Amino acid sequence: MRLADPLRERWQRDPLSIVVPAVVFAFALFVYTRALGWGLPAGDETWAADALKPSAPISVAWHELASRPNNGWFWFKYPPLHAFLLCALYLPYLAWLTAVGGIMHFQSEYPFGMRDPISSLSTLALIGRAASAVMGAGCAVLIYASVVRSFGRAAAACAAFAATMAYPMVFYSQTTNVEVPYIFWMLLALVAAVRIVEGDAQRRWWMLLGIAGACSVSTKELVAGFLAGLPVAIIAVSIAGRRPVMTWLRGGVVAAAAFAATMVIANAVFWNPLGFWRRIGFLTQTLPRDIALQYAPYYFPIELGGNRGAAVELAQLSTAWTRLVASVGWPVVALAIAGLVLAIRRRPAWTSLLLAAAAAYYVVSVRAMLSMSIRYLMPLALILATMAGIALAELLRPGRLRPLRAAVAAGLAMWIFAYGWDVDRMLAGDGRYAAEHWLAEAASAHPDVEIYQNRAYLPRFPEGLAVHEIDYDQRGIDQFTARRPDLVVVSSSGLSGITVRYKQDWQDDGGTGEGYSPAQTSAGGQVMNYSRDANSDFLRRLTAGELGYEEAARFVVDPWIPRPLIQSLNPEIAIYRRRVASVAPDANAAASSAAQAASAAPTGN
């Protein structure tokens, strides 16, 4: 009753204060569940790169909590909090599955003791994705909450709408990647910080700031930069506003204590402190290499600190800006600039908080990432969307030329909606579905298939096909012409995986010797990985039709609005078929002979 009474009073006083956030949540949840079953059933696999496989949370929880204390184990990919959360959500289904005989006994390897692993693991995947969708919708509500007190209900709703349709949000809210979960906790910390700079010094906001901040960094440490900017801005605003020093000092102590206690619980430090310490060493590249390689096959391409020179910094900034614009689109960027001007004039303290968080996130987190992905820029994209919402609402205010301004706002809103909704359309119509149908029909005539890439980027293969995953060193022309498979399936996503061998330690490993060429360089020109020339030559000649193979089919969904795509989203699938009357070209023959053989054979898709 204590919780119901304030809600009842709030409803009687201002129904819209409950209705509008509820509508924001429902709309976002609708958008984020249109393709929740994307790529399922898939057993313990997933089409989303770096997503948590269904079995991963159980494995993490087992190593962290069920094995001997202080064993030193750590998960090199992410902190454990979200894995713990998913395990808690798994438990009712796993208990039911055990009760009906769906699990005979747990095993560490596939099929994990499950009677029907494809179905059971796919259900676990749906549970994990549903958690992301709910947290994604929660992100929209938290953005609304961070804006409404300073700029009003219309601006808050517009900001939530723009953030909801940011295309990385639409994608990652329907996967088990940790991006949306850490952003949810990050935005909860931001709401607490906003309340503090708006003058609400109640202890609960300081406590929420510490707890939510710890939950965010315990889900993905990349957020550390964003969180570091919040106390800096709070202190600056408090000093500028001549607020009593003891007020924010006491609040800071409460936040710090809440942060520390939550970190201990969320990372199971109370049970496995050595594992926590080793993960910190791994991230800061101070963990001994022999220990790190027991847990991780490679080091992350991260460069912490250092003076890299103006040219390198500008190159990194340019790359980040390009990815950031792709996340939301130019119309939102233009609106965000206008919204920033309005915010600075009307709520300088609020604006300084967001700008400090954005600047700290770039300097501490983004700047260190030598391999720049769109997902690394999601906190900045949401800040842009928030500012854009303020400008969008301004177009709807009463005054001169309101009909014209309303028409412009409607056009921009339609574009924002289409930019995000197009992601759902690409997910629902993923070219891999059509490729699977084509392969199923071709299985009897072409049963022998070769692949060279991570299965996350490829279609699921139907029964009746013999699918061979070819080792990195066996992807040369000589080996290929000896095998002569019926079909070769290639995805445009993860294409570098065919030719590139990722180094165990990108900092220490130099050139890999003769027969290799630099494949990827950082903004500073440092070589991050190398490609094998033999593999590159094979891929080039295969796709050019010089190895006795022709392109049989190609599948992709054309986006409404062109943009750089997240690697896992809408890959183009090409299927190459051995020509019926072809003779395998001699790998040692001259290039002219290979060209003549290719031109003599029939071509076509």
Side-chain angles (χ1 to χ4, degrees):
M1 290 298 294
R2 290 183 178 180
L3 179 62
D5 288 343
L7 288 175
R8 188 181 299 110
E9 293 175 3
R10 187 176 175 185
W11 173 265
Q12 293 172 348
R13 184 175 64 254
D14 184 9
L16 289 180
S17 65
I18 296 176
V19 170
V20 177
V23 170
V24 165
F25 181 85
F27 173 76
L29 193 62
F30 173 76
V31 173
Y32 296 160
T33 54
R34 295 306 87 205
L36 211 59
W38 173 62
L40 297 179
D44 203 34
E45 298 296 329
T46 173
W47 278 354
D50 292 326
L52 275 61
K53 294 182 178 182
S55 66
I58 300 173
S59 176
V60 171
W62 172 262
H63 282 95
E64 286 279 10
L65 300 175
S67 55
R68 63 181 176 83
N70 203 31
N71 57 35
W73 185 90
F74 70 95
W75 192 23
F76 86 99
K77 286 183 73 68
Y78 304 114
L81 178 60
H82 195 60
F84 294 160
L85 174 61
L86 289 185
C87 276
L89 296 176
Y90 283 177
L91 279 177
Y93 175 69
L94 292 175
W96 175 84
L97 206 59
T98 303
V100 300
I103 298 178
M104 295 169 286
H105 54 276
F106 274 114
Q107 298 173 344
S108 59
E109 301 294 333
Y110 186 89
F112 311 115
M114 296 177 175
R115 190 178 300 276
D116 184 0
I118 299 295
S119 174
S120 300
L121 290 167
S122 295
T123 300
L124 292 179
L126 278 173
I127 292 171
R129 292 181 181 188
S132 292
V134 171
M135 296 180 89
C139 288
V141 175
L142 292 172
I143 286 176
Y144 176 93
S146 69
V147 174
V148 65
R149 287 167 64 94
S150 291
F151 296 93
R153 195 169 287 147
C158 288
F161 168 72
T164 296
M165 303 312 297
Y167 109 73
M169 283 295 296
V170 180
F171 178 80
Y172 286 113
S173 291
Q174 300 180 86
T175 73
T176 52
N177 295 77
V178 299
E179 266 62 37
V180 166
Y182 93 75
I183 286 174
F184 171 83
W185 297 114
M186 179 197 81
L187 290 174
L188 190 58
L190 178 64
V191 168
V194 164
R195 291 300 179 92
I196 292 168
V197 299
E198 286 174 339
D200 190 341
Q202 293 183 72
R203 183 176 298 178
R204 61 178 179 175
W205 297 119
W206 292 97
M207 186 173 294
L208 181 61
L209 176 63
I211 293 173
C215 287
S216 185
V217 79
S218 299
T219 303
K220 188 167 186 176
E221 291 100 343
L222 184 68
V223 75
F226 188 99
L227 298 175
L230 298 182
V232 173
I234 290 172
I235 293 171
V237 168
S238 298
I239 293 174
R242 297 182 179 180
R243 296 174 184 175
V245 173
M246 289 307 300
T247 299
W248 54 267
L249 278 180
R250 280 195 300 265
V253 171
V254 169
F259 181 89
T262 306
M263 286 291 292
V264 169
I265 296 171
N267 293 277
V269 179
F270 59 89
W271 184 259
N272 185 18
L274 180 59
F276 178 72
W277 183 250
R278 281 180 171 178
R279 175 158 178 83
I280 293 176
F282 174 74
L283 291 175
T284 56
Q285 298 163 357
T286 59
L287 186 67
R289 191 170 183 266
D290 59 331
I291 296 177
L293 292 178
Q294 294 176 26
Y295 299 94
Y298 55 86
Y299 272 90
F300 297 144
I302 298 173
E303 188 174 90
L304 301 172
N307 183 9
R308 296 181 287 191
V312 175
E313 297 292 358
L314 288 174
Q316 182 85 342
L317 186 61
S318 175
T319 301
W321 177 251
T322 301
R323 303 286 193 276
L324 185 57
V325 171
S327 299
V328 294
W330 274 110
V332 170
V333 172
L335 281 169
I337 294 171
L340 176 61
V341 173
L342 291 170
I344 291 173
R345 292 174 57 188
R346 295 176 184 175
R347 293 290 187 272
W350 180 93
T351 308
S352 66
L353 179 70
L354 267 69
L355 290 180
Y361 181 72
Y362 179 83
V363 172
V364 175
S365 301
V366 176
R367 181 178 175 272
M369 305 303 294
L370 301 185
S371 180
M372 189 72 64
S373 267
I374 284 178
R375 60 188 168 131
Y376 299 154
L377 297 160
M378 287 175 68
L380 301 181
L382 291 181
I383 289 177
L384 282 182
T386 300
M387 297 296 179
I390 294 170
L392 193 61
E394 187 68 16
L395 291 172
L396 300 174
R397 288 172 63 90
R400 297 180 56 189
L401 303 175
R402 187 182 185 187
L404 177 60
R405 288 187 282 108
V408 172
L412 290 168
M414 290 177 62
W415 190 96
I416 292 170
F417 177 82
Y419 202 67
W421 189 260
D422 198 17
V423 176
D424 277 338
R425 189 182 69 89
M426 286 187 279
L427 289 171
D430 194 302
R432 284 172 283 196
Y433 293 128
E436 291 167 359
H437 181 72
W438 190 96
L439 288 166
E441 292 186 340
S444 59
H446 307 284
D448 196 34
V449 180
E450 278 195 3
I451 59 174
Y452 318 103
Q453 296 165 274
N454 189 323
R455 285 182 180 254
Y457 306 123
L458 296 167
R460 297 162 295 180
F461 292 95
E463 293 184 6
L465 291 176
V467 181
H468 307 283
E469 299 185 49
I470 306 302
D471 291 339
Y472 181 82
D473 294 327
Q474 298 300 311
R475 298 171 191 170
I477 294 174
D478 287 347
Q479 299 96 324
F480 177 75
T481 54
R483 294 189 303 265
R484 301 189 68 234
D486 296 316
L487 300 172
V488 174
V489 180
V490 176
S491 172
S492 63
S493 293
L495 197 61
S496 62
I498 299 178
T499 62
V500 171
R501 170 174 283 161
Y502 292 92
K503 299 182 291 181
Q504 288 183 332
D505 187 340
W506 66 270
Q507 287 185 317
D508 295 338
D509 288 359
T512 51
E514 187 177 354
Y516 288 83
S517 301
Q520 184 182 12
T521 58
S522 68
Q526 185 174 5
V527 177
M528 295 166 60
N529 50 60
Y530 292 80
S531 66
R532 186 169 179 252
D533 296 338
N535 294 25
S536 300
D537 189 43
F538 156 69
L539 181 61
R540 178 187 62 79
R541 293 186 62 185
L542 171 71
T543 56
E546 297 177 6
L547 298 181
Y549 285 71
E550 63 183 354
E551 184 181 300
R554 186 173 291 267
F555 305 96
V556 71
V557 178
D558 293 327
W560 286 338
I561 304 171
R563 73 197 86 171
L565 293 179
I566 294 167
Q567 189 175 39
S568 300
L569 175 62
N570 193 28
E572 188 170 25
I573 304 299
I575 301 175
Y576 296 92
R577 176 177 53 202
R578 190 177 67 235
R579 294 193 182 101
V580 175
S582 68
V583 177
D586 185 352
N588 297 318
S592 60
S593 299
Q596 290 173 4
S599 62
T603 59
N605 293 341

